[in-house]
Structures are given as structure tokens and as C-alpha cells.
Amino acid sequence: MKGRAVKLREAHKSASPALCSAAWGPGGQHVVTASAANTAVLIHDAAALLAGGRGSGLAPLATIRLHKDGVTALAVAPGPGGSLASGSIDHSVKFYTFPDGEFQSNVARFTLPIRSLSFNKKGTLLAAAGDDDGIKLIATIDNTISKVLKGHKGSVTGLAFDPRNDYLASVDSFGTVIYWDLCIGGEARTLTHVAPTFRPDDSVRNVLCWSPDGQMLAVPGLRNNVVLYDRDTGEDVSTLKGDHEQPVCSLCWSPNGRYLASAGLDRQVLIWDVKSRQDIERQKFDERICNLAWKPDGNALLLIDVMGRFGIWESVIPSTMKSPTECLPDLNSTKVPLFDDDNDCEDDDEKPCTSDGLEDDIDESLCDSAPFSHKRLKRKSTFDGDSEDEDLIRQLGSSKRMKDKHTDRKDGAGKARGDSATSGRLVTSRMQAAFQPGSTPPQPGMRNFLAYNMLGSITTIENEGHAHVEVDFHDTGRGPRVPSMTDYFVFTMAALNESGSVFANPCKGEKNMSTLMYRPFSSWAGNSEMYILSVSGPVVTAAGHGDQLAIVSHASDCLPSGDQVLDVKVFNISERAQSLSGRLLLTTSSQLSWFGFSDNGQLSSYDSKGILRVFSSQFGGSWLPVFSSIKARKSEDESHWVVGLDANNIFCILCKYPQTYPQVMPKPVLTILELSFPIASSDLGANSLENEFMMRKLHLSQIKKKMDEMAALGLDTTAYDDEAFNMEAGLDRCILRLISSCCSGDKLVRATELAKLLTLEKSMKGALTLVTRLKLPMLQEKFSSILEERMLNNRKIAGSVGLCSNATITRNTPVLTGHATLPSRIVQNGNNLLESSLPMPNPGNQESSLIEPKKPEEQMSGINESAKKVSPAFTPLAKVLKNSETKRDRNGASNATIVNNQNKKGDIDQNESKKLSIEDCNLTEHQRPVNPFAKSSSSKEQSPSLLDSIKKMKVETEKVEKPNSKKAKV
């Protein structure tokens, strides 16, 4: 529908586009204008403007020239006898009488230019902001600054008071909107990067505007649209998308809130019917319209462009539609909006709309009424049900129109209100939209990422109906050179791995179905099979690693708190099996920001609160937090855009506010941060040690899980033996350092608990040596008992399998046969263990009394004869055991002969090693296992046992302590 063209007349001369302002007086009889190109503030007679038409012959009623630089903001206080406020580039805010324009006072001075002014509904408070750090709230009764609100990172270009005086909304040049709670004087909620980005010195700016009933806040959207946000939850409840080809730069509501006007950079002004979300009128101008204002009590719209020309658009709403001044909202009414407010002005046959709490219903129709105020509902719900019914009936009876239309529904008023209170938040809660990990939002005229991962990136840029796609690898020598592609399908998502890339776009109707394209990097692509699966809810995202495919979907609608309910399923494509199905955990009031696998195939997720979690098989399957962006960032304006992770680090791109994702140019730089559990502060001051302990424990559990899975499939696990042993050794080293910290901090009980977690016997002896040197007899006794108990358990295990030794039982223990086994020789040289194929005679007595000692020559010949009888399928221990595994017990027996090169005579120390006789092993079927603590029948001196060694250590310690105590007494 096209109305009569609006005529503009010059008010402020300007050689170039500049920000201009225009506002109505309280009664709609006067108009005030200003421009950043000059210092004048003009007050005009509205009636004369409407009668005079085009031309510059009409002089303004008043001209104010008190500013030293251009005027960038205007505000008129409501009510009769109101005042006029102006802000300027000269850093000052001034008050004048209205409509006379007489100077009253300088209200406040800033250090940088003013960009926005706004009065509250009663005119008792003025909000002023600009390039300064903070919004100043000025009490108009005495011109004092009552509060400074700080939170924006950029210039504040738009301010708007809630008509009910509960909130102040502000928007900055970076597109961030903040709700300020005027009761507490602080932030209520923040909406980051929801509006376009404008430079503060542009001829246009970001603005926002409350609906007349205060239930919705209109903000320019990122897609050349207008987004309406809920008053209490801050969630978008509706979107007005029309024919704006460029971002919206100005907004205003009709007096009754049924219509909304928007001006864009495309020089168009659209009039919206908010109920139907359709534009009903439009006008196109020669220059951009930078300010709109609806007449407070009429069907007229005030406009001013960037060249300083202004005019009044009369009869904006056609006569065939409801007048914009009909059914004005009653802000003094405290009744709960049970029914549609517009029903009072509609025909009797038009029924009030109801809602079952589904978002789609709200999107299709705004229900003619504003969303429920959750804050008021919460206050009302403190009463009991009977009093609620009585209050509602009394309120309904006080309104004649409501009584005439809804007398038959009084009995159900209480129930309707209760239902509204319980489902009100569900109405405004939204399920998270689908997204592609590693992608960034499209920006007009700029290149954006379709995919960005640890391998490379895929970028695209739209150009006249098609797009230009490029594939780049971080390591140019790793991947092939992929030529750029002209994309006629305008793909919106992509994925990349070593084999190729895949592209897709959404369905845009029956004639434009979704397209899926695979682009292999090699000239010969292997045959690929495609599977089609159905999931239980709307898909949120998906990720793959090898044969694993993980899919995240919605399990249900959002919870009443607004939290997302997501499920995750992992499929093994090659085996056509499902390996995981469960709930995906998110931080409260957050959404999923990134999802994928680590380099070693561990499922991971990252939410909007900055918490990275990995899935572990511990406790039957659980999500473990391993990184917190809040703790890792150096300043509040930093955020981390996740790219990937490995076993120890997270790879991300550091973004500075207001940017929350990287730009294609300049090329992003990867930041590597260590994974760390978000643990509380350690009472030992050893946060890094405790974190290292937890990370190593997690990695050890992952290695053991892989070994168990391979063993279950009958595969060899020796490839992971060294890795598991090194992880156990590193874990023990970390525990020993924690024990040292506990001893220094007098945490003896905790030190004992940590000692029980040591895996290797050598580490346990090291802990015993540590507490002995620190002269902690209580811990020394505890550690000794732990070591004794562990040694006894090892001996029992060795005896139960028929071995006359307390040596470590390896995973690949050979099966004893009827033939004699030739023991291998391990030579200790410093800290290194070398295996020798030559056996060494043992001139000392044997452990068993059944075999008499032989001469070295006889023993050597016997061994050589026995070596010939060894089965070819059974060989000596080929793998050299670790030092800590081979010498588990310095005083115990072993199935390997230990030779100490430090012994000059070449004799074998009996305290270091013993030899297991071949005959003894053959007789184990008819003999009991040898008691390691039994006395030998040999006449020679038996080597001391573990208990004797510990007792001897205690005696030596007491001898050392007694002389010291005597000296102290002297």
C-alpha cells in the first residue's frame, strides 16, 4: 500500500550527512529539531508546518544557540510545563523551558561527546550517555547526578526508560543491549551483539524503544529486521522481517502499541502491524531518515533526514484500520493481563487468544496482548488461591467493559491465572537453533567461515546470487592444494577432514530442496555408503571422528528456567552400532557453543558460559569439566572461540569484546591453553599439583579403557603397556609432591590417604624415605604398615598362582611347562637395566631346602643341559622390565638374577637377589608354596626379611634421635 508522498523542508543546513534529531512536544503542538552539523536547537509550530508544506519561509518559534559544537541529542520531558534537554559534542547537557526555549541551567558535563538523552515517564529523571564510560542518571528536581551505570564497552547511542519505571534499556555502537534495574541500580541482563554495529561518528546510530505498555523492547536486528524482546526475560518474542535491504537505524511505536515505524539505511520507512507482523505502509526518501517520532495523541509521524530536512507524515495508518490512538494502555492498572487487552476494542465475536506455552503459537500470533510480566506474577503468587480469585473478581468487576464481556468466565479466572504463572516462562523460552561447529555468522559483503577446525578452514562470500568458496589448510605441506569453487547453491554449512569436504544448504521450499555435495581431495574417491537415521528431536549439531558420528538433538522443550534439554547419541558407522546415548550436560542458563571430538577421539562440548566438558567412562559415563573460560581469560572483555583440543590443551581463538567470533581477515591466530579442572583453591597452595593429579588420573583411565576394549576383542595390548606404565609413574611423582606439601602443611591424615594411592612399590618406599628424613615418626609408622600390607598381598598373589617368588606378575606371563625354564639375567648399571642371555651361577644357598648347593662347574653344566630341554614355544622373558617393576623388593626373591656391577669381586649379593631353582619350579605341584618368612634349613646366614629391614631402620632412627635428645638436655 502506497500513501501520499511526505514533503520535507530544510531546518538545518549541512554540507554532508550528519546525525539529526527530532522530537514532539508533550501535547503534539510543537516540534523540536537539532543537527550535529551546527549548534542550533529549533522549536517549531506543528500546525504551521502542516499548513505551510514544502519551503523554508516559515521561521521557527524559538532558536537556541548555546552549545559550542553540534547538537547530537534531544529529549522533551512529558507533561505540561515540561523542560527540554539537549546534548552536544561539546560534552555538555543543558536544560531549557519548553516551548519558550529559555536557558535554565547546565545539567552535567562529560569528558567526551554526548550521544543520547532520555526522560522517564514522569520527567523526574534524565539519562545521559555518550562516548564516556557510564550512563549518568540526573535528578531533574535539583540537577544532581544520582547514579552512574557502567557496563558498556562502546559508545552508548540509545537510551529508553521503561514506561513503568522499572528498567532503563541502553544500546551501544557495538550492538549490545543492557537492561538496567532501576531499583538496585545495576544490570538486570545483557544481550550481546544483537543489534548492528555503527561507528559513533556516523550519521546514523543504534536505537531502541519500549512499547507503550512496557512489555516489549524493540531493537534493530542483525538481518535488516526488527526484533522484539520480552520485558522480564530478555528473550526475543517476535521478529518483524520485511523489505528493508539494509540495517534499521531508527524506531518508534504508535501510542497504543499496535503499530511500529522503522527507518533503514536503504532510505525506506516502513509501518508495521505488530499483530500480523506485516508492513502496511512505506515511503522511500532521497536521503537516510535518521530519526522518527510518533505524535503522542495523533495519527502522524515526525521524520528528519541526515541533511537536516524534516517533515510530518500525516494519516500514517489508513482509516480502514484501527486508529493508533485507540485503546491506549493503562499504566496505572495493576490487574494481571488474563485476557487480550485489544478485545475491549474489537467486535464481540473476536475471542481472546490463549496459549499452551508453545513457542510456535506465539510466533504465529502475538496474541494481540503483550507477554506476561513474570515479575508481577511472582509477586501475586504469594497469596493463596482463594484470595487470588476474590482479588481477580473484584478487579474484573471494577472494569465495566471487562465485566460485560467476560462475566461468564469469572469462576475460571483464578485457574487461568495460575496456568499463566506456571507457563509464562515457557512461552518466552526458546529452543536453541541448529548450528555448525566452527562456523561464523554471515556478514554482508564480508567473508565468513563455513568450517574452521584443527586441519584447516572453509570460507565463503556471497556475490550477486552466488558465492565464492575457498579451502585452506593450516599446514600447507599436509593437505593438497584445493582450487577455489564458485558456489551456485549458496551453501550455508560445511565440514572438512583429510579426505575431503562436504557442503550443504537448507531447504527453501518444494522448488528449492536442500542440496548435499561431497568434494573429495583425491582424484579417485572410494565408494561411500549413505545412511538415513531419525532422531528423537530437532537436531542441534553433529560432529564426526573416524568411524564415530555424534548427534545432538533436543530431548524436549526448554525447562521453566529456560535451560536447554539436549540428548547426545554416538554411532559407529562401520559397525552400524550405537555406542553412546545419554543427556548432554550444560551450565545453567547456557546454550551449546561448540561440539566435537578431541584428537584422541574423546567426545567434548563447550557451552556459552565458557565451560568445556569431556565425556569419560568413569562412574558409568559422566561429563567432566576440564576448562573454564572465565578463569583462563585475562580481562572481562576476552572470550574464547573453540577450535579443538588434544589430551592436554585446548586450541582456541581469543576474541575481544564486542566480537564473539573470529574474522576471516586478518587471519586468526590460534591460542593454546592448558586444560585444567575448575577446582576450588587448595588449602595446600598446590592447585597445579592437584590439577595435574586429576588430569593424569583421567588419562590413565582412558588408557586402561582402551586396553580393556582391545583385550575383549582378543587384540594385543602391549602397545599401550609403556604408555600406561609412564602414566602410572608420572601419577606417582605427582602424589609424592603432594605428600611433601601435606607434610609441610601439617596435613598428616591427608598424606596417609595420598600414600594409599601410590601405584608402584618404589614410589611407596620413596614416600617412606621422605617422611623418615622429615622426622615424622607417626607417618613413618603409617607408611611402613601400608608397605608391609602391600608386600604381603603381593606375596599372597604370587603364591596363589604357584610361583615361588614375589616378583611382579606381568600381563603376558608365560605358562609353566614340564620343561625347565632358563631364567634371564638382568644387569643393573646405574639406573639402566640390560638383559643378558647368559645365565650366571649362584654360589649362595638356595631359597628351598630341598636342593643341596652344587659346585659352580656342576651348576653350569646342569643349566646348559636344562637349556637344551626348553620347549621352542617357550622362551625366556624377552621384554626388559622397568627398573621399578623388576626390583619391586630389594630383599625379596625374583625370577631374574640381579648382578651389581659396583661389586668389585663380581660376587652376587644375597640381599639384592636370589635365584629360583629349576627343580623347585618342577616340584611346585607336589609341594606347598615356600613361606617367605620361614627360616631356612641351611646353616648359612639367611638374608633379612622385609620386616627385619623395617625394624632395623626404626632402631637406627632411634639411635640417631637419642644422642640428639641428650645434647638438647645438656
Side-chain angles (χ1 to χ4, degrees), residues 471-511:
V471 178
D472 296 311
F473 293 92
H474 301 317
D475 185 359
T476 55
R478 181 179 178 183
R481 291 194 61 182
V482 181
S484 59
M485 177 181 70
T486 301
D487 172 21
Y488 294 99
F489 299 98
V490 190
F491 294 117
T492 59
M493 61 189 77
L496 173 70
N497 66 3
E498 294 84 353
S499 303
S501 56
V502 62
F503 301 86
N505 61 1
C507 176
K508 298 180 180 179
E510 295 182 358
K511 296 183 180 180

Side-chain angles (χ1 to χ4, degrees), residues 615-646:
F615 184 80
S616 172
S617 59
Q618 299 179 8
F619 306 104
S622 57
W623 291 90
L624 306 180
V626 295
F627 177 78
S628 174
S629 176
I630 297 177
K631 290 190 176 183
R633 66 187 185 185
K634 297 180 181 178
S635 60
E636 293 185 357
D637 61 345
E638 287 185 356
S639 61
H640 299 94
W641 194 78
V642 176
V643 176
L645 67 152
D646 59 14

